[in-house]
Structure formats: structure tokens, C-alpha cells
Amino acid sequence: MNEREYQHRLSVHRLEPEDLRSESSPDQFPFDTTEDMKGEDYGMIGQERAERAMSFGLAVKQSGYNLFVVGPTGTGRMTYTQKRVEELSASQEVPCDWCYVNNFDDPDRPLILSFPAGEGHEFRKEMETLLLDIEREIRQAFSSDSYENQKRMMLDDLRSQMDELWRQAGDFALERNFKLEQTHSGINTVPLRFGKPMSVNEYNQLSKRDKDDLKEREKEVETKLSETVREINKTEAQFRKDVQAFMMTTASNAVNGLFKPLREQYANNEHVLSYLSAYERDVVEHFSFFFSEGDEQEQIMSAIAGSKERQYQRYTVNLLVNNKHCEGAPVIFESNPTYHNLFGKVEYQGQIGNLVTDFSLIKPGALHLANGGYLILQAIDLLQQPEAWNGLKRMLQTGHVHIENPHEGRGLFPTSALKPEPVPLQTKVIIIGSYPIYDLLSRWDEEFDKLFKVKVEFDTVMTNDEENSWKMANFVKKHAEEEGLLPFHKRAVAKVIDYSSRLVDEQEKLTTRFQDISKLLVESSFYAAQRERAYVDEEDIYEALEEKVKRSNHVPELYREQIHKGTIMIETDGYRVGQINGLAVMGTRDSVFGIPTKITAQTYAGKSGFMNIERETAMSGQIHHKGMMILTGFLSGQFAKNRPIPLAASITFEQTYSLIDGDSASSTELYVLLSSLSEVPIYQGIAVTGSVNQWGEIQPIGGVNEKVEGFFHICEEKGLTGQQGVIIPKQNVRNLMLEKDVVDAVNDGKFHVWAVGHVCEGIEILTKVRAGHIRGDDGRFPEGTVFAKAEQRFDRMYEIARQQQAELKEKTNNDKNET
């Protein structure tokens, strides 16, 4: 095509400067600086779907309607969740207090008691007062004159009974001429002769018959003595029982009046009444805890059982959850959701070389504190803790919080653990996580969807309209006030909105990742303050963005330096056959940038088809393989409808040494193949990006801004000629939010961006030759076009292949004839 026609082709597809980025107008704002505007609370900006889902999930009271808040970081999901839940909880009832008390029948299974908010604290104080009153009353009762007199009477009666039994035994012995003597070693029987103890000589002088008679009478006395000892033991045992019953009755009479007011106060709470009855029975049975008679046996037992405070511990109240000072339902965010932090634990104390515990050492977890309210967790933190996720599911399924030791079966604790009575659970659990975690749980955990039925999804974009622009301005004002920043001029606010569109690579959208916006606000305010400005203006926004790039552009600068030195061979001027500049996006942790890559192709006669060098060397991914197969489909559809293509071709990304994947360069590869086939040179000052389908239609790609800017900076360093530019898919025009220097260069005619929808449009821009992809009535492509030249090359290849086949056939026949 001639120069005039070529320039017309360029102008048809050339984008104007206003197409390259959207510019928000400062005039849409009726203020000069954000200090002048009236701040309004818009809630969560651009997250209407998430707000509706959150309201629904928090309103449903049935089990299983817990919430999973999903979305990328920086979208305000945590801030909004906490704020929304706190607003809702403020108008709700304060939940019950929970107390653990001793189970006097089974101390290893402590009991749980519930009270209206604030009454748990009062109940604990009442029990402390009750314990002091019990000690006082029992001490008074056991030190009273009536108690001492009654006890003395019982003791005197015992002594009288024992004296009578001993007298009867003594009389029985005297009747048989024996006397009973008590010694330290026991009771001896002494024979008498004429009322006096018999001497040994007197005994030896007795006849055998008298000795036998003496022994017989001695046996009778010993038998009587044994009967007397048994009776005395029975009497003492009965005495001890009578004394114990008497002391228990004394204790019961002393404390009974103390429990009556409490029974009346908690008449409607059956569990408390049952506990008070068991409490009173235990006090009566263990009245000795409250006074000491100073005997040695009791001191030994006290040393074994522990101090008096330890003994009194059984009567205390463990206030597990105290909602006395709460206003509304509790909202708990657990930042370290270990098993024990979530579900509570039982602590241990050292005693006589061992670890011991009781109900007073039970500590609450986040689920206890959030009971009747809301518990917020981060998914990544929860899933990193052993047993925490399974434990949470178990608690939600059973509707109770069980305090257990997950390591008990592994023998990490030598002592037996308590089994506290579980606490009924009525908590709305809200987990905040990413899309991959949500998808993982939803796919592999069959219980997940049953327990977390509400998905609250935070989007990363919102529509760029007047309403959201005003909301963004309101966010700028509030954040500046909260962080102590300078006010922002409306020109700066407009640039912030433009930057928001750049973050999502779409002119008609704004980002909802306000974390990135917040960084820009802080940094631009810093540079404005350095200039001693009264407010932040657009120049400060530009400087903040430029400095941000400079802090993280070390890698892109190294690439550009290598290209400038010629180490990486990139041409930005002249024409080459079978060579083109493709565009790729690379990224580091804090920087994403575009770089040009030389793509070359060689085509020759043969039957091997396309050889993707990256594939042969295992340096390309599956999506790139697919793109290469699409090229085969397109070329076959254009040139091999009636005959096979006798083609061998190789294509590669030059000087690339890492894995290549994606199909964003498939149109570029098609252009370079057409150039090599038609032997039409491609202008090296134009880089290309875009995917292609089997019909030759150009499809959109990602990273278009970085790709255009990357090639622009290379051309700028090598020298802009006014003919250089980038070809992009026309669908990507709405994604353009190019940097100001690129837009200025386009405005000055030094650089260009063209948008195409078909491969024939791109090949004409690249080669200055008409594509001619539509066959005429004669079935041939128009003469002199790229497609015609490519087909002519195929014709020559086909003729060569047919001639070679004929020669091979003739040689084969000659060999047969000779044979």
C-alpha cells in the first residue's frame, strides 16, 4: 500500500490521548480542600453485595448460619466486619454470666451455673460471705458451753460404761481368785491365794489337780476379759458415731439458717438450689475444716490435704465469664486462636512433687467470652493451629463448649484432667479469609458448608461514577483527619481517583482496596509537608507516585540497562523478516513492570510442522502450548483447506531463560510466522500484545498498561522516532490508565498506541502491506498482499514436496525393476 493509504490505516486504529487514561474532573467537587467538605458516613464503600450478605447472616438466628468473609486484603473486610458487628451488638441483650462450682459428688466433673449478667459476680461474693459466716458460726457452735457440756456428758457416760464393764470383769475375776492388773503392755491376770497374789513358790507347791483347776479358772477369766474388751471397743465405736452425729447436728444447726435466704433468693434457679443443698451437706460432713481441736492426727491430715485455704477452695466460685460491665452482646476478636485460647483450659499447680488441679483453675476461652455474641477469627491464623479447626467445628455441631486437653491421650500431662460440664453455646462465628482458603474448605471439608452457610464476598472494584467518586473524596477526608494528614485539594482528590482506576486497570472502575489508597495519602501528605504547603495538591500526588516507583524499580532498571547496552538484543527501528517485539509482564514482590521480548520465526519446506523451541526445552506452560496449537488451526484454515501444508517452522522467545506461559503473545507469534512465510519485513519500532483465536480475532490480555509503558521507556532511552508504538487488542482500550509521560508523548506524536480486532489489521500496521485475507472470486488472495505471498510460498513448498515425492516414487520403482 502507498504511504497515504498506510497513514489512513494507522489513523483508523490509532488511539487519541483521551483514550489512554480517564481523567477525573476536580470541578465535580464543590469544595476547595477536604477541610471544607462535610464528612458523611457511607459505611463500606463499593461493597453493597457484602453489606447485604453481612446483614442477612447476622440477622438469622438458626444454627449453621455462621459467616465466612472472603476477599483480598486491603479491602477493609476486617474493619467493616468489626464495625458492623459492634453496631449490631450494642442494641442486643447482655448474655448470661457463667460460673464453675465444685461437684461435691464427683469433684472431677465440675458443674456450670448461669446467672443474668452481673449476678454471677454477686453470687461469687455471696458465696465468699457465706463461707466466712459458716466458719464463724461453726466455731461459735463448737466453742459454746452447751456444746462442751453435752460433749462432756457423752464422755462421762462413756467412762461410766467402760468403768462398769471393767468392774464386772474384775468381779468375775475375783470370784475365780484372780486379779486384773493394767500395764503398759496390756492387762495381766494375777492368781490370788488367801486374797493376796500367789508367789512362784506357792504355785510350785500346788498339786497337779490344783494347777489344772487354776488354769481352767484363768481361761474363764481371759475369756471374760476378751468379751469385756470387745464390748468396750463397741462402746467406743458407738461413742465416736454418736459424737460424730452430735457434731454434724451441731454444725447443721449452726449453718442451716445461713442457707435459707439464699434458697429464697434463687428459688427459680434449680441448678443453684441443687448446688446449695450439696454445699450444705458437704459443710456438715466436713465440719472439721472450720475448726481445729489441735490433736496430732488432725495436724498430720491437714499437712497432707493442704492448707486451710486449699481446703476452703472447694467452696469457692470460679466466675468463668463476667458480663457485669458489658453493654450489649460481646464481640471478641481472637488474634491468636490456639486450641486453649479458643476453648479454654484447665491449669495445674505443683503440690508435694506432683501436678494437681481443681475447678477453680478452669480458664475461659474466646468462645466462652463471646457466648451470646460474636467471635471473629482470621482463617489463616485458625488453620495454622493444631486441632483448632476441628475443635471449632465440633463445638458448633454440638452446641456446647467442651473444655478438654487435646494432648491428654499423648501422655504430655502425668495427672488426670478434669471433665468440666460443657457450656451451652450461642455464638455467631465470623471467619475472615481469602478466596483460596474458602475454596479449599468448601471443596475438601464436607462439614464446612453446613456450619458456614453465609458467604460475605468483598469485591476489589466498584463503578467509577459520580456517587462513588464523592464517597472516595469522603474517604480521603476521613483518613486525613484520623491520621493527622494535611487536607487534600480537590485537584489532588481527582488524581487519587485516577490512581484508584489505575490500580484495577480499568477506566470505568475504582479499587476498593483502600489500603493502597491510604499509602498514597500518607506519602503525598509527607511531601506536601516538606514543601510547607497548607494542603496536598496534584503535584504532591505525582511526586508520591514517582518516588514509590523509584523505591522499587531496581529490577526494571537493570533490564533497561541490559537492553541499552545491547546485552539483551531489542531493536526499536528498522525492518526485519521473521522478527517482532512481543511484550511480557514481570513482577517482583513490590513491583510489576513490562519488558519487550524478541520473538523470531524460521519457516522452511518440510513436514515436521511447528516446533515451539520453548516447549521442546520444557520452558513453556500448558496455556502457551494451547496458543501455539491455535496458530496451527488458523494457518490450516487459511492455507490448507484443499491440501496439506508442507511446512516446517521453529519459533522462539529469544534470550529468555525462565518459564513462559500464557497466550498473550499468540497474536505476536502469528504475525512473525506470517512475516517469515510471506517474507514481508516487520517494523521493529512497533511492539505487539494480544491473544488470538482460530478465526484470527484478537482477544484481550492482562497487564496492558505495564506492557505499553515498558516498551515506551525502552524506545525513549533509544530515541523516539515518532513512528514507534504498541498494538493492543481493542477490548483492552477500557483498561488503559497509562502514565502521564506516555500520554504526553502520544499527544506530541512521538509515540502511538493502536487498537486492533483482527490479525489482518495488525499485520498491515506492522508491514505497510495489505493483509488481503479475503479470497477473491477466483479463490485466490489479492495479488501482492501478505496472505497472497504466504500462499505463494506454500505453493512453492508444495511443488517441492510433490517433486520430491515423485522422485522418491520413481526411484522405488526402478529399484523394484532391477530386483
PDB file of all heavy atoms in Angstrom, residues 676-693:
ATOM      1  N   SER A 676       7.541 -14.440   8.211  1.00  0.00           N
ATOM      2  CA  SER A 676       8.524 -15.396   7.710  1.00  0.00           C
ATOM      3  C   SER A 676       7.998 -16.139   6.493  1.00  0.00           C
ATOM      4  O   SER A 676       8.746 -16.376   5.532  1.00  0.00           O
ATOM      5  CB  SER A 676       8.873 -16.395   8.820  1.00  0.00           C
ATOM      6  OG  SER A 676       9.822 -17.341   8.366  1.00  0.00           O
ATOM      7  N   LEU A 677       6.702 -16.496   6.483  1.00  0.00           N
ATOM      8  CA  LEU A 677       6.125 -17.215   5.355  1.00  0.00           C
ATOM      9  C   LEU A 677       6.053 -16.339   4.102  1.00  0.00           C
ATOM     10  O   LEU A 677       6.377 -16.772   2.987  1.00  0.00           O
ATOM     11  CB  LEU A 677       4.725 -17.719   5.717  1.00  0.00           C
ATOM     12  CG  LEU A 677       4.656 -18.924   6.665  1.00  0.00           C
ATOM     13  CD1 LEU A 677       3.228 -19.126   7.164  1.00  0.00           C
ATOM     14  CD2 LEU A 677       5.164 -20.173   5.962  1.00  0.00           C
ATOM     15  N   SER A 678       5.615 -15.085   4.307  1.00  0.00           N
ATOM     16  CA  SER A 678       5.441 -14.183   3.157  1.00  0.00           C
ATOM     17  C   SER A 678       6.709 -13.439   2.793  1.00  0.00           C
ATOM     18  O   SER A 678       6.771 -12.768   1.757  1.00  0.00           O
ATOM     19  CB  SER A 678       4.331 -13.168   3.477  1.00  0.00           C
ATOM     20  OG  SER A 678       4.717 -12.347   4.565  1.00  0.00           O
ATOM     21  N   GLU A 679       7.719 -13.559   3.689  1.00  0.00           N
ATOM     22  CA  GLU A 679       8.983 -12.853   3.518  1.00  0.00           C
ATOM     23  C   GLU A 679       8.767 -11.344   3.446  1.00  0.00           C
ATOM     24  O   GLU A 679       9.490 -10.618   2.745  1.00  0.00           O
ATOM     25  CB  GLU A 679       9.725 -13.368   2.271  1.00  0.00           C
ATOM     26  CG  GLU A 679      10.075 -14.843   2.398  1.00  0.00           C
ATOM     27  CD  GLU A 679      10.820 -15.365   1.192  1.00  0.00           C
ATOM     28  OE1 GLU A 679      10.649 -14.782   0.096  1.00  0.00           O
ATOM     29  OE2 GLU A 679      11.567 -16.344   1.337  1.00  0.00           O
ATOM     30  N   VAL A 680       7.757 -10.861   4.174  1.00  0.00           N
ATOM     31  CA  VAL A 680       7.468  -9.437   4.294  1.00  0.00           C
ATOM     32  C   VAL A 680       8.062  -8.950   5.620  1.00  0.00           C
ATOM     33  O   VAL A 680       7.746  -9.498   6.679  1.00  0.00           O
ATOM     34  CB  VAL A 680       5.960  -9.165   4.249  1.00  0.00           C
ATOM     35  CG1 VAL A 680       5.673  -7.690   4.517  1.00  0.00           C
ATOM     36  CG2 VAL A 680       5.389  -9.585   2.904  1.00  0.00           C
ATOM     37  N   PRO A 681       8.896  -7.937   5.643  1.00  0.00           N
ATOM     38  CA  PRO A 681       9.539  -7.492   6.891  1.00  0.00           C
ATOM     39  C   PRO A 681       8.566  -6.752   7.809  1.00  0.00           C
ATOM     40  O   PRO A 681       7.622  -6.125   7.349  1.00  0.00           O
ATOM     41  CB  PRO A 681      10.650  -6.568   6.400  1.00  0.00           C
ATOM     42  CG  PRO A 681      10.169  -6.064   5.081  1.00  0.00           C
ATOM     43  CD  PRO A 681       9.382  -7.179   4.462  1.00  0.00           C
ATOM     44  N   ILE A 682       8.831  -6.838   9.091  1.00  0.00           N
ATOM     45  CA  ILE A 682       8.038  -6.193  10.147  1.00  0.00           C
ATOM     46  C   ILE A 682       8.836  -5.019  10.705  1.00  0.00           C
ATOM     47  O   ILE A 682      10.043  -5.135  10.968  1.00  0.00           O
ATOM     48  CB  ILE A 682       7.700  -7.191  11.270  1.00  0.00           C
ATOM     49  CG1 ILE A 682       6.686  -8.230  10.766  1.00  0.00           C
ATOM     50  CG2 ILE A 682       7.166  -6.483  12.514  1.00  0.00           C
ATOM     51  CD1 ILE A 682       6.380  -9.312  11.783  1.00  0.00           C
ATOM     52  N   TYR A 683       8.166  -3.911  10.936  1.00  0.00           N
ATOM     53  CA  TYR A 683       8.810  -2.732  11.522  1.00  0.00           C
ATOM     54  C   TYR A 683       9.076  -2.999  12.999  1.00  0.00           C
ATOM     55  O   TYR A 683       8.175  -3.334  13.778  1.00  0.00           O
ATOM     56  CB  TYR A 683       7.927  -1.501  11.344  1.00  0.00           C
ATOM     57  CG  TYR A 683       8.512  -0.252  11.965  1.00  0.00           C
ATOM     58  CD1 TYR A 683       9.791   0.187  11.611  1.00  0.00           C
ATOM     59  CD2 TYR A 683       7.791   0.490  12.899  1.00  0.00           C
ATOM     60  CE1 TYR A 683      10.335   1.323  12.175  1.00  0.00           C
ATOM     61  CE2 TYR A 683       8.336   1.634  13.467  1.00  0.00           C
ATOM     62  CZ  TYR A 683       9.611   2.045  13.106  1.00  0.00           C
ATOM     63  OH  TYR A 683      10.155   3.173  13.671  1.00  0.00           O
ATOM     64  N   GLN A 684      10.323  -2.860  13.415  1.00  0.00           N
ATOM     65  CA  GLN A 684      10.735  -3.218  14.769  1.00  0.00           C
ATOM     66  C   GLN A 684      10.396  -2.149  15.803  1.00  0.00           C
ATOM     67  O   GLN A 684      10.551  -2.382  17.006  1.00  0.00           O
ATOM     68  CB  GLN A 684      12.244  -3.483  14.781  1.00  0.00           C
ATOM     69  CG  GLN A 684      12.667  -4.602  13.860  1.00  0.00           C
ATOM     70  CD  GLN A 684      12.010  -5.931  14.210  1.00  0.00           C
ATOM     71  OE1 GLN A 684      12.239  -6.461  15.296  1.00  0.00           O
ATOM     72  NE2 GLN A 684      11.193  -6.457  13.304  1.00  0.00           N
ATOM     73  N   GLY A 685       9.923  -1.007  15.359  1.00  0.00           N
ATOM     74  CA  GLY A 685       9.552   0.046  16.309  1.00  0.00           C
ATOM     75  C   GLY A 685       8.158  -0.141  16.885  1.00  0.00           C
ATOM     76  O   GLY A 685       7.722   0.675  17.697  1.00  0.00           O
ATOM     77  N   ILE A 686       7.477  -1.189  16.462  1.00  0.00           N
ATOM     78  CA  ILE A 686       6.129  -1.465  16.976  1.00  0.00           C
ATOM     79  C   ILE A 686       6.154  -2.799  17.715  1.00  0.00           C
ATOM     80  O   ILE A 686       6.566  -3.816  17.145  1.00  0.00           O
ATOM     81  CB  ILE A 686       5.097  -1.507  15.833  1.00  0.00           C
ATOM     82  CG1 ILE A 686       5.055  -0.158  15.099  1.00  0.00           C
ATOM     83  CG2 ILE A 686       3.723  -1.853  16.385  1.00  0.00           C
ATOM     84  CD1 ILE A 686       4.113  -0.133  13.906  1.00  0.00           C
ATOM     85  N   ALA A 687       5.731  -2.779  18.969  1.00  0.00           N
ATOM     86  CA  ALA A 687       5.607  -3.999  19.766  1.00  0.00           C
ATOM     87  C   ALA A 687       4.145  -4.417  19.793  1.00  0.00           C
ATOM     88  O   ALA A 687       3.247  -3.591  19.600  1.00  0.00           O
ATOM     89  CB  ALA A 687       6.127  -3.777  21.178  1.00  0.00           C
ATOM     90  N   VAL A 688       3.922  -5.683  20.047  1.00  0.00           N
ATOM     91  CA  VAL A 688       2.576  -6.240  19.939  1.00  0.00           C
ATOM     92  C   VAL A 688       2.248  -7.061  21.169  1.00  0.00           C
ATOM     93  O   VAL A 688       3.107  -7.771  21.720  1.00  0.00           O
ATOM     94  CB  VAL A 688       2.445  -7.123  18.678  1.00  0.00           C
ATOM     95  CG1 VAL A 688       1.032  -7.674  18.552  1.00  0.00           C
ATOM     96  CG2 VAL A 688       2.826  -6.340  17.430  1.00  0.00           C
ATOM     97  N   THR A 689       0.993  -7.004  21.590  1.00  0.00           N
ATOM     98  CA  THR A 689       0.461  -7.904  22.609  1.00  0.00           C
ATOM     99  C   THR A 689      -0.969  -8.242  22.248  1.00  0.00           C
ATOM    100  O   THR A 689      -1.648  -7.459  21.588  1.00  0.00           O
ATOM    101  CB  THR A 689       0.516  -7.276  24.017  1.00  0.00           C
ATOM    102  OG1 THR A 689       0.049  -8.231  24.976  1.00  0.00           O
ATOM    103  CG2 THR A 689      -0.361  -6.036  24.103  1.00  0.00           C
ATOM    104  N   GLY A 690      -1.408  -9.396  22.647  1.00  0.00           N
ATOM    105  CA  GLY A 690      -2.775  -9.809  22.351  1.00  0.00           C
ATOM    106  C   GLY A 690      -2.863 -11.296  22.087  1.00  0.00           C
ATOM    107  O   GLY A 690      -1.949 -11.894  21.504  1.00  0.00           O
ATOM    108  N   SER A 691      -3.958 -11.873  22.514  1.00  0.00           N
ATOM    109  CA  SER A 691      -4.232 -13.275  22.219  1.00  0.00           C
ATOM    110  C   SER A 691      -5.006 -13.365  20.912  1.00  0.00           C
ATOM    111  O   SER A 691      -5.585 -12.378  20.437  1.00  0.00           O
ATOM    112  CB  SER A 691      -5.043 -13.883  23.362  1.00  0.00           C
ATOM    113  OG  SER A 691      -5.483 -15.178  23.044  1.00  0.00           O
ATOM    114  N   VAL A 692      -5.036 -14.543  20.277  1.00  0.00           N
ATOM    115  CA  VAL A 692      -5.732 -14.715  19.007  1.00  0.00           C
ATOM    116  C   VAL A 692      -6.476 -16.045  19.032  1.00  0.00           C
ATOM    117  O   VAL A 692      -6.046 -16.997  19.701  1.00  0.00           O
ATOM    118  CB  VAL A 692      -4.736 -14.666  17.826  1.00  0.00           C
ATOM    119  CG1 VAL A 692      -3.845 -15.899  17.817  1.00  0.00           C
ATOM    120  CG2 VAL A 692      -5.468 -14.531  16.493  1.00  0.00           C
ATOM    121  N   ASN A 693      -7.617 -16.107  18.330  1.00  0.00           N
ATOM    122  CA  ASN A 693      -8.328 -17.380  18.211  1.00  0.00           C
ATOM    123  C   ASN A 693      -8.138 -17.955  16.810  1.00  0.00           C
ATOM    124  O   ASN A 693      -7.434 -17.392  15.971  1.00  0.00           O
ATOM    125  CB  ASN A 693      -9.802 -17.225  18.559  1.00  0.00           C
ATOM    126  CG  ASN A 693     -10.528 -16.257  17.634  1.00  0.00           C
ATOM    127  OD1 ASN A 693     -10.115 -16.028  16.488  1.00  0.00           O
ATOM    128  ND2 ASN A 693     -11.625 -15.679  18.127  1.00  0.00           N
TER     129      ASN A 693
END
